[in-house]
Amino acid sequence: QNGQRLPEDHPLTQRWRGDEETLQLDERLPAAERLLLANNNVLVNPGWVGGKPRWNVLAPYEVRVDQDPDEPDQIAGAPHISVMLPQTKDSDSQAAVEANALWLTWRRAVTRDAWGGIKSQRWEVWLHDRAGQARRNPLFRDNVNRYGVHPFVLWRLGSPTPGRVWVPPNVGWYHQQLSADIKLCDLDHHMRLQMHSQLVLNGGGDLKNIPLGPDRAIHSPSGDVDAEYLTPNPNVSMGIAHFNFDLRATAVAEGLPPDTWEPNSSTRNLAAKQLEQAALQARRRAMVPAAKRMFCGAFEIHKRVV
């Protein structure tokens, strides 16, 4: 209050402590952070679900924004914000989920004067299907948004290019994760198919069933059979080296120690460890002002909702 921290016994503090437990922020905030780091964008939607507050964490692909012509890079004044509400719990494809989804559209309707100034505005919200057919709205039965604002806060890493609302996602991280997954699958497939010796028979064309096992003997009526086990020579070390090279290159590109993500990272002395920790702490401190702005914005919307 007025920039000062309220005491723990203050009624507003006690109210927030209860909301904090109901919201399960220990789960919601890390989920928002993961989406933010992966996509560079995430929307936090303080809402009211089942008679209690809830912070919905929305990825960019779940939201459609009709941009504000005055401030296209902001969502507070957007004419429409639509959120996809998937209805199909089990589906074979994302397309089926979107086809059966309902949409919750929040509208800001403004009336302007002859010079383009805003004379009045209305806040509305509808629940509808993909074709635009209205459904019963359990949140506001008359479709009037009594919050008086769009209940969304856009968390972004960086600023978008002029005229856009989204910051481009970190495609490099996505491809790096995909590359690492493919390499691990290749190593696993390689080992499973070539870690065991293979029995090879020369001759013995009259054999129908070949017994396997060290306690079994192979009998050929013709006597003309040569059996031997061939041992493969998989180049596992090359696969591991390739995998580690990708991890090292990614770490260097992020300004981190090269062996940050390697399974067998080298042991460094205390001074080197302290230097690395100082660099990481500097990166975290640089994020604190933006994190405070994002959280305070969500808290302001939260107060309106509850």
Side-chain angles (χ1 to χ4, degrees), residues 188-203:
D188 180 71
H189 188 69
H190 199 44
M191 291 296 295
R192 284 189 296 109
L193 293 183
Q194 297 194 40
M195 69 181 299
H196 300 289
S197 300
Q198 174 67 49
L199 177 64
V200 177
L201 295 178
N202 294 314

Side-chain angles (χ1 to χ4, degrees), residues 196-217:
H196 300 289
S197 300
Q198 174 67 49
L199 177 64
V200 177
L201 295 178
N202 294 314
D206 55 337
L207 294 176
K208 302 299 182 183
N209 297 311
I210 302 174
L212 299 177
D215 58 337
R216 304 294 179 86

Side-chain angles (χ1 to χ4, degrees), residues 75-297:
I75 65 170
H80 301 88
I81 298 179
S82 298
V83 180
M84 183 175 66
L85 307 176
Q87 301 299 299
T88 305
K89 295 182 179 180
D90 299 312
S91 175
D92 294 331
S93 67
Q94 180 67 21
V97 172
E98 294 186 4
N100 294 284
L102 295 179
W103 291 83
L104 193 63
T105 295
W106 303 80
R107 182 189 182 202
R108 172 179 176 257
V110 300
T111 302
R112 299 180 181 268
D113 57 25
W115 291 271
I118 296 177
K119 295 172 56 178
S120 63
Q121 60 182 358
R122 302 190 314 276
W123 298 90
E124 301 164 334
V125 57
W126 289 285
L127 181 67
H128 57 90
D129 59 20
R130 190 179 185 183
Q133 183 67 37
R135 301 292 184 91
R136 292 181 179 178
N137 186 347
L139 183 59
F140 294 115
R141 297 182 180 181
D142 56 0
N143 296 326
V144 176
N145 171 14
R146 292 184 178 81
Y147 301 150
V149 295
H150 290 317
F152 302 94
V153 181
L154 177 57
W155 293 6
R156 292 182 300 209
L157 292 179
S159 299
T161 56
R164 296 187 179 275
V165 69
W166 304 113
V167 175
N170 198 331
V171 180
W173 281 18
Y174 168 79
H175 285 291
Q176 171 57 36
Q177 181 64 58
L178 184 62
S179 175
D181 292 342
I182 292 174
K183 287 181 176 62
L184 287 175
C185 288
D186 286 343
L187 279 173
D188 180 71
H189 188 69
H190 199 44
M191 291 296 295
R192 284 189 296 109
L193 293 183
Q194 297 194 40
M195 69 181 299
H196 300 289
S197 300
Q198 174 67 49
L199 177 64
V200 177
L201 295 178
N202 294 314
D206 55 337
L207 294 176
K208 302 299 182 183
N209 297 311
I210 302 174
L212 299 177
D215 58 337
R216 304 294 179 86
I218 300 175
H219 299 281
S220 174
S222 64
D224 184 16
V225 61
D226 180 22
E228 64 175 331
Y229 278 92
L230 298 182
T231 303
N233 184 25
N235 197 346
V236 177
S237 59
M238 179 180 291
I240 295 176
H242 191 197
F243 177 71
N244 285 336
F245 174 79
D246 268 8
L247 296 181
R248 295 176 72 88
T250 304
V252 171
E254 289 296 318
L256 298 172
D259 57 352
T260 298
W261 293 306
E262 278 195 46
N264 299 322
S265 60
S266 61
T267 302
R268 293 178 292 277
N269 58 33
L270 178 60
K273 286 286 190 182
Q274 290 176 332
L275 187 60
E276 292 172 9
Q277 188 65 19
L280 290 175
Q281 290 293 341
R283 290 176 61 151
R284 291 167 183 157
R285 283 194 298 269
M287 283 293 299
V288 169
K292 284 184 177 180
R293 285 195 301 270
M294 291 186 290
F295 186 84
C296 288

Side-chain angles (χ1 to χ4, degrees), residues 25-37 42 57 155:
L25 290 185
D26 58 323
E27 298 178 3
R28 294 291 169 178
L29 292 181
E33 183 183 30
R34 286 192 294 270
L35 274 175
L36 181 62
L37 293 176
V42 65
V57 178
W155 293 6

Side-chain angles (χ1 to χ4, degrees), residues 5-25:
R5 186 182 183 91
L6 294 176
E8 283 296 322
D9 58 353
H10 193 281
L12 291 178
T13 305
Q14 294 297 317
R15 174 63 180 270
W16 169 246
R17 294 304 180 207
D19 288 346
E20 188 178 20
E21 183 64 27
T22 303
L23 294 171
Q24 298 179 338
L25 290 185

Side-chain angles (χ1 to χ4, degrees), residues 24-67:
Q24 298 179 338
L25 290 185
D26 58 323
E27 298 178 3
R28 294 291 169 178
L29 292 181
E33 183 183 30
R34 286 192 294 270
L35 274 175
L36 181 62
L37 293 176
N39 294 291
N40 285 335
N41 309 268
V42 65
L43 264 81
V44 176
N45 166 220
W48 192 262
V49 181
K52 58 185 179 181
R54 175 187 176 93
W55 282 19
N56 301 307
V57 178
L58 305 172
Y61 55 80
E62 298 177 278
V63 183
R64 304 290 184 270
V65 178
D66 179 15
Q67 292 173 259

